[in-house]
Amino acid sequence: MLPQVARILYVLSFCVFQGGFIRLSSCKEEIKPPSRAGPQLSPSDFLDKLMGKTSGYDARIRPNFKGPAVNVTCNIFINSFGSITETTMDYRLNVFLRQMWNDPRLAYSEYPDDSLDLDPSMLDSIWKPDLFFANEKGANFHEVTTDNKLLRIFQDGSVLYSIRLTLTLSCPMDLKNFPMDIQTCTMQLESFGYTMNDLIFEWLSDNPVQVADDLTLPQFVLKEEKDLGYCTKHYNTGKFTCIEVKFHLERQMGYYLIQMYIPSLLIVILSWVSFWINMDAAPARVGLGITTVLTMTTQSSGSRASLPKVSYVKAIDIWMAVCLLFVFAALLEYAAVNFVSRQHKEFIRLRKKQRQQRIAVGSRAVSVESLRKANDVPGNNSACRNLSQHCSACAREEELMRESRGFYFRGYGLGHCLQTKDGTAVEGPPVFAPLPPVTIYDGEVLHKRFVDRAKRIDTISRAVFPLSFLIFNIFYWITYKVLRHEDIHANL
């Protein structure tokens, strides 16, 4: 009995000892020794240390102060390009402007990240280049929904500053070939306050000017070739860095072809319809001519409404002027036709007037003959004096008729009244040849002759006007679409 009890107590004491040892071992494994590493800086403390008031960083002083100039690398991304206005000679575009420079004071090694993307409010705490656009007319920032600005700092102190801008830049245009012209618009980036001893701008070596893939312009095609260069400015205050990019814009003339060239061409062709209308239909031909002239004038005024008042002649001005000239010439052609067709009436009226004048001259000759007979009576001196006065009047009338009317006076049988310088009388032929009377047959012949002349003018005009306009079109389009176009491309 006792040996069994002793065995049971031994087993129980062994189990209690083993359980306490296991619990003690597990507690030792759970207890970890305290870490010996120091506390890590929070982002706020790191930024305060990097560019805070206690860091010694001064945003008013440029990097490398009193040392070499700061090199600022620029590149732009064109988000939209449009609203090119000829009247004000400017263009509008939306860009992402990116500048990158190195500021050794912002280099860090305490933070594990290679770069830090900071809030745009931190831009006031660092130094930035004083870049501005030299040919700018207007610009604005974008603040929806927040300021569209990016600030990124790298471990080596490099700073990337990107901003979204909408710019209106001036673009002097040469409109001599309008609307078949190619314009070159520039963008100039310049330093305002720092001379080249302190700041130098340069383009990014790899793809400095990027354009959105879906970028389209309503009237122009933006050429892929973009000229990059320097435009260093020299002022009284010093020499300032400047870089520029030139955009080549080729105008698409589809709008002007539909709205101006084709309508004016049809108006000119419409004016030629009057050549096939009967010359007696004066209201129809005059109405058609005046309508086409007024329409062409309105069309010409509309073509100049959207263009600046330049002193030189544009390509579209030449086209509109020639079209107006052809339309006006068609109206004048009918005036000439109408005038020629009515000349037979004037000719008949003139012959009737001549016949009446010759009849009057014959009656006056009869009265002179009666005076001469009275002069033969002895002692009738008064009749002789009257006859002498009448002779002098006849001589004056004869001279006037010869000069102005073209009648050939052969004499009235007053030879004893006409005296030469030596006082001898000159007898003239007593006959005055009368004109033959104008018959109805002669009138019809004259009428037909002049009407045929007028019809011949219409027939010639039907060929001359289209042929002349065709020759003008050949010279016009070859000059502006081939010759001048090649010259412009050669100068780019």
Side-chain angles (χ1 to χ4, degrees):
M1 185 72 183
L2 289 175
Q4 293 179 354
V5 172
R7 191 179 294 115
I8 292 171
L9 290 174
Y10 176 75
V11 171
L12 289 175
S13 60
F14 179 77
C15 290
V16 169
F17 177 77
Q18 290 293 334
F21 179 77
I22 292 173
R23 285 197 300 273
L24 181 61
S25 300
S26 62
C27 291
K28 287 181 180 180
E29 290 178 359
E30 291 177 358
I31 297 174
K32 294 181 180 179
S35 175
R36 294 183 180 180
Q40 187 176 1
L41 291 175
S42 64
S44 299
D45 294 338
F46 171 72
L47 292 177
D48 290 338
K49 181 181 178 182
L50 187 64
M51 62 185 69
K53 295 181 179 180
T54 59
S55 64
Y57 185 90
D58 193 347
R60 299 171 297 177
I61 303 175
R62 73 169 180 88
N64 306 324
F65 186 68
K66 296 294 184 180
V70 180
N71 291 324
V72 179
T73 305
C74 302
N75 72 305
I76 57 174
F77 179 86
I78 301 176
N79 194 31
S80 65
F81 198 121
S83 185
I84 301 171
T85 310
E86 289 82 8
T87 53
T88 54
M89 290 197 177
D90 55 28
Y91 66 102
R92 189 178 179 88
L93 72 166
N94 183 279
V95 299
F96 298 151
L97 173 63
R98 298 162 183 160
Q99 306 173 67
M100 192 167 185
W101 67 94
N102 185 269
D103 192 345
R105 297 171 295 177
L106 297 178
Y108 64 89
S109 59
E110 297 86 353
Y111 207 74
D113 294 340
D114 295 336
S115 62
L116 297 174
D117 292 334
L118 304 181
D119 189 82
S121 60
M122 297 296 295
L123 286 168
D124 296 332
S125 302
I126 65 171
W127 177 88
K128 301 180 296 296
D130 58 344
L131 182 145
F132 79 101
F133 295 90
N135 58 334
E136 172 219 332
K137 284 188 173 181
N140 61 281
F141 300 99
H142 293 267
E143 300 177 352
V144 179
T145 58
T146 59
D147 290 343
N148 295 170
K149 299 177 182 179
L150 167 67
L151 177 61
R152 182 176 297 166
I153 300 177
F154 298 88
Q155 280 188 344
D156 60 350
S158 298
V159 180
L160 174 63
Y161 173 39
S162 178
I163 185 171
R164 182 180 174 220
L165 299 170
T166 296
L167 305 168
T168 302
L169 304 177
S170 65
C171 178
M173 300 181 185
D174 185 4
L175 300 174
K176 292 179 181 178
N177 296 332
F178 180 89
M180 295 164 280
D181 54 336
I182 298 178
Q183 301 298 334
T184 300
C185 297
T186 62
M187 175 192 293
Q188 295 183 345
L189 290 70
E190 184 181 345
S191 172
F192 188 81
Y194 291 102
T195 63
M196 294 192 68
N197 296 327
D198 299 321
L199 184 64
I200 296 177
F201 288 146
E202 57 186 13
W203 289 110
L204 186 67
S205 58
D206 184 21
N207 201 6
V209 179
Q210 299 172 318
V211 181
D213 295 334
D214 57 347
L215 179 63
T216 57
L217 283 76
Q219 289 189 27
F220 292 88
V221 172
L222 181 61
K223 297 288 187 179
E224 295 183 0
E225 301 84 7
K226 303 171 186 64
D227 299 335
L228 304 175
Y230 295 89
C231 52
T232 304
K233 303 295 181 65
H234 299 267
Y235 302 111
N236 294 335
T237 52
K239 182 179 178 182
F240 294 86
T241 181
C242 177
I243 55 177
E244 67 177 0
V245 55
K246 294 182 179 179
F247 304 104
H248 302 296
L249 304 168
E250 183 175 2
R251 192 186 304 273
Q252 300 297 298
M253 62 173 303
Y255 169 82
Y256 299 95
L257 194 65
I258 296 173
Q259 296 295 327
M260 295 182 184
Y261 281 95
I262 293 180
S264 58
L265 175 65
L266 295 179
I267 292 171
V268 173
I269 296 175
L270 182 62
S271 68
W272 301 339
V273 176
S274 64
F275 303 152
W276 279 266
I277 300 177
N278 191 354
M279 68 181 67
D280 295 331
R285 293 189 68 164
V286 172
L288 179 61
I290 293 177
T291 301
T292 52
V293 169
L294 294 178
T295 306
M296 198 65 236
T297 304
T298 305
Q299 189 80 6
S300 179
S301 301
S303 67
R304 296 189 299 267
S306 59
L307 297 175
K309 298 178 177 61
V310 294
S311 59
Y312 49 82
V313 179
K314 301 178 287 293
I316 197 168
D317 292 339
I318 296 177
W319 174 267
M320 290 296 175
V322 172
C323 289
L324 182 60
L325 179 64
F326 270 89
V327 171
F328 188 71
L331 181 60
L332 292 182
E333 187 270 348
Y334 176 66
V337 167
N338 188 269
F339 176 78
V340 172
S341 66
R342 289 185 292 105
Q343 281 301 295
H344 73 283
K345 298 180 181 179
E346 291 292 329
F347 189 78
I348 293 174
R349 185 182 62 82
L350 182 60
R351 290 190 64 178
K352 287 182 179 179
K353 188 175 180 180
Q354 292 174 357
R355 186 164 175 262
Q356 292 173 358
Q357 288 177 351
R358 293 197 176 193
I359 291 173
V361 168
S363 62
R364 195 175 292 118
V366 172
S367 63
V368 170
E369 183 67 24
S370 62
L371 287 174
R372 188 182 65 175
K373 290 180 180 180
N375 190 36
D376 293 339
V377 179
N380 197 355
N381 297 328
S382 61
C384 189
R385 287 194 299 268
N386 294 335
L387 182 61
S388 300
Q389 293 175 359
H390 196 77
C391 288
S392 62
C394 291
R396 288 197 301 270
E397 185 175 354
E398 179 187 5
E399 186 67 25
L400 289 174
M401 286 183 180
R402 287 180 178 177
E403 292 180 357
S404 61
R405 299 296 182 181
F407 297 122
Y408 295 95
F409 180 71
R410 296 185 178 180
Y412 298 123
L414 305 176
H416 62 282
C417 296
L418 301 176
Q419 297 179 355
T420 59
K421 293 182 180 180
D422 54 0
T424 59
V426 178
E427 285 291 340
V431 234
F432 186 84
L435 279 175
V438 179
T439 63
I440 298 177
Y441 176 76
D442 292 339
E444 291 179 353
V445 170
L446 290 173
H447 175 68
K448 186 176 183 304
R449 182 184 304 169
F450 284 102
V451 167
D452 290 342
R453 290 180 183 177
K455 289 182 178 179
R456 192 178 302 114
I457 295 175
D458 271 345
T459 305
I460 295 173
S461 299
R462 293 171 190 173
V464 170
F465 274 72
L467 183 61
S468 302
F469 195 68
L470 177 62
I471 294 174
F472 163 72
N473 272 268
I474 293 174
F475 278 99
Y476 181 85
W477 295 111
I478 288 179
T479 300
Y480 285 101
K481 289 297 290 183
V482 179
L483 300 180
R484 291 201 176 185
H485 211 66
E486 291 178 355
D487 293 341
I488 293 173
H489 279 285
N491 294 330
L492 293 180

